[in-house]
Amino acid sequence: WSSDVCSSDLTDNIFQRLAIDVRESIDAEQLVYELLNRAYPCEEWPDVKVCSELDLPLNAYGERGQVLLYYVSAPEQFDRGLWRFGVTFTVLAADCNNPHGFARHLYKTVQGWPFEESTTAGTVGTVSVTAQKRQSDSKENQGKNVKEYGLSAVVTARDSFKA
């Protein structure tokens, strides 16, 4: 035993080797961010603004294009390198910008995540998505003609860390 080796270094090393399930959590928000930014904007939906936080001018933007607001819940590790987390999506758009059609496209896009290439944060394994639903009318979101649709998903993903 060398005097320059700290005993906590030995404990950490042994602990890590014996408990390989102990790892940093997946960056679920980064994974979702990368997947959404691969998909939008696109040729069919060129005026999409993807946001993870509520921004005051979203209704104004929703009148000119589509706004995709998403929230990612805390991931839960259920097996070595495998994580489960929820994602809630809100679509804001004026009637003339086809909010229901965009929400349907988002539903199909999220269903296709298991077939996408890996992100820097990991790879999607399975997705269970609820279909889009009208959440409020224009009076509730204070837009003159902005509609709001929501859908949610439960995602399982493999992190990008090597065991």
Side-chain angles (χ1 to χ4, degrees):
W1 294 89
S2 171
S3 62
D4 61 340
V5 175
C6 180
S7 65
S8 67
D9 289 342
L10 292 174
T11 306
D12 289 344
N13 192 12
I14 292 170
F15 179 71
Q16 287 175 352
R17 288 183 184 190
L18 294 177
I20 58 177
D21 291 352
V22 176
R23 58 203 306 128
E24 290 183 14
S25 67
I26 190 171
D27 189 346
E29 186 149 343
Q30 180 66 28
L31 186 142
V32 172
Y33 173 83
E34 287 183 37
L35 290 170
L36 289 175
N37 280 282
R38 281 182 193 171
Y40 302 110
C42 63
E43 188 174 320
E44 187 177 356
W45 303 99
D47 297 320
V48 175
K49 180 176 174 77
V50 177
C51 307
S52 64
E53 298 176 354
L54 193 58
D55 191 4
L56 291 179
L58 287 182
N59 277 340
Y61 196 87
E63 290 179 355
R64 296 188 312 267
Q66 298 84 17
V67 175
L68 172 52
L69 186 63
Y70 68 96
Y71 170 77
V72 180
S73 68
E76 172 190 350
Q77 185 177 10
F78 65 92
D79 201 352
R80 181 181 315 146
L82 297 176
W83 301 84
R84 183 180 301 117
F85 56 90
V87 186
T88 304
F89 304 94
T90 303
V91 170
L92 296 168
D95 281 336
C96 63
N97 293 323
N98 193 8
H100 186 259
F102 178 62
R104 287 180 23 238
H105 188 272
L106 174 63
Y107 173 84
K108 182 179 176 183
T109 299
V110 173
Q111 281 187 319
W113 282 357
F115 307 104
E116 286 285 326
E117 299 221 1
S118 294
T119 69
T120 59
T123 307
V124 172
T126 62
V127 179
S128 174
V129 190
T130 62
Q132 68 281 354
K133 174 184 155 207
R134 177 96 175 259
Q135 291 188 323
S136 69
D137 61 23
S138 58
K139 292 178 184 169
E140 290 174 326
N141 67 28
Q142 300 176 0
K144 293 180 180 172
N145 63 352
V146 173
K147 302 294 187 268
E148 183 177 327
Y149 286 86
L151 54 142
S152 59
V154 175
V155 177
T156 61
R158 178 171 295 284
D159 63 35
S160 60
F161 306 114
K162 304 296 180 218

